[in-house]
Amino acid sequence: MENLPFCQTLNFLRSDNSELICGSCLLELAKTQKDFKIHQIIDLEQIRDHPDQVFQFTNVLKFLPIEESQITKFFEDQKQQLNGVIQIIEQLINYYESMKQDYFQQWTTNFCNIIKYDEFKQILKNLYSYDKNGQAESIQQAQKQFQNYFNQIRIIDLGVSQKDLLNLQELHKYIYNKTHSNELFQEIINAIAKTSENHKVFFKFGESGFFYDLIKTIQEKVKKNLQTNKKIYHSIEHGLNYQLIKNKIIGEENLLWYFKSSNKNGQVFGGFTPYKWQIGYSGLCQENPSFLFSQTLREIYPIKQQMGSYTQYFTDEYLLFGGTSNCDQDLRINPDFKSGYSRLGIVYNSPDGIDTSKYSSYLMGALEPNVQECEIYQMTFE
């Protein structure tokens, strides 16, 4: 439509034809067009104040490994955990306030013993008594007592008893040990460590952009644009359970697998296959887009097309990526997630120099997988 004669502030954009319009134009469109689609109108002022809304006009969100609801839940969980840390810190502060009072009370008692404070108070009491009676001789006697007392104080470092000094030293030692062995300290450390670990788990698989390298590789090999990716299994949420994984994957296809091992402080590896998971072998011989990968090494290992019929294998005894009738497998993980092995290069390509005649630590960081975590994403394509 043409702009109205009185149009001034053109703060709306029609995404269907890139026409700038004003608020009055928008009302006119809503009144006159039967098939008017409000979602095609972009409020430029709103986007200026909330630039994150630009995402709704892109395909970027389709490729993100984390949904908006997950992000919201993550930060709410972090907030609750940190509030727990704050409560523990407040308990610790109250504890130390109480300990401070006890410390100073004990310290004062020991110190008063060292300076013979009771003797000082007695002399002072006598002085008040002498002053009331007005006896000059008694006052002079009190002055002499004070002089003797302060002469003793001046050499206190020589005259203090070993026992009293040890009492102060032991008190200091006790307080030091008490503060450093406090269980609340450990609770704070554990709570912060848990929060930090959750942060790592939440963001880890998108780190350094490697997730997007995988998405790009999948689209190129499948020759389709990715529409969505959905996390169907995460051991942090569901537990590291082989039977549960079986229940999640049998009958499903287009799955991207992640494994995190305890080897080498967290070796991360996995694989993608488009074929439906079933009991036994799955795969095709031609145009097979499957691959294994190492996020730790930032490498992708495509399948050997002539070996495509051995893409993947699943039974109650083991999970395989690649394999032959001679029982050679590129990656095998057993139900305990600890045992298994890798012979990268049997069905999937391996880097130059890898000996495919024996088990290798190249992919997993050790000869056995020692899986600590597992995530599985399901891809859907346009």
Side-chain angles (χ1 to χ4, degrees), residues 178-194:
K178 190 77 171 175
T179 57
H180 284 75
S181 64
N182 193 302
E183 293 181 358
L184 290 176
F185 265 128
Q186 194 59 47
E187 286 189 44
I188 293 172
I189 293 171
N190 292 341
I192 293 176
K194 181 180 178 182

Side-chain angles (χ1 to χ4, degrees), residues 298-335:
R298 300 186 64 84
E299 293 178 347
I300 294 175
Y301 318 109
I303 199 167
K304 299 176 181 179
Q305 294 300 321
Q306 72 274 19
M307 302 295 291
S309 58
Y310 298 102
T311 301
Q312 63 206 51
Y313 189 92
F314 190 92
T315 70
D316 290 334
E317 288 76 34
Y318 43 75
L319 161 71
L320 306 179
F321 284 87
T324 68
S325 56
N326 295 327
C327 297
D328 296 326
Q329 292 94 29
D330 295 79
L331 175 61
R332 169 171 171 159
I333 296 177
N334 294 334

Side-chain angles (χ1 to χ4, degrees), residues 343-377:
R343 287 182 63 187
L344 190 61
I346 300 298
V347 175
Y348 291 84
N349 285 293
S350 63
D352 294 338
I354 299 298
D355 186 353
T356 60
S357 66
K358 58 184 180 181
Y359 299 156
S360 169
S361 62
Y362 187 82
L363 180 64
M364 304 184 300
L367 293 179
E368 291 188 312
N370 294 311
V371 173
Q372 288 182 319
E373 298 174 30
C374 174
E375 284 190 17
I376 306 173
Y377 291 85

Side-chain angles (χ1 to χ4, degrees), residues 211-226:
F211 182 88
Y212 304 103
D213 293 340
L214 295 181
I215 296 300
K216 180 180 178 181
T217 300
I218 290 172
Q219 291 186 127
E220 290 176 350
K221 289 184 174 294
V222 175
K223 299 178 181 178
K224 296 178 182 178
N225 291 324
L226 181 66

Side-chain angles (χ1 to χ4, degrees), residues 21-33:
I21 60 175
C22 69
S24 298
C25 293
L26 179 59
L27 290 174
E28 186 69 17
L29 280 173
K31 290 178 182 179
T32 59
Q33 290 193 6

Side-chain angles (χ1 to χ4, degrees), residues 116-125 146 149-150:
K116 300 179 180 179
Y117 187 58
D118 288 341
E119 181 179 331
F120 172 83
K121 289 194 297 182
Q122 184 60 48
I123 300 173
L124 187 62
K125 182 179 179 181
F146 275 124
Y149 173 80
F150 284 108

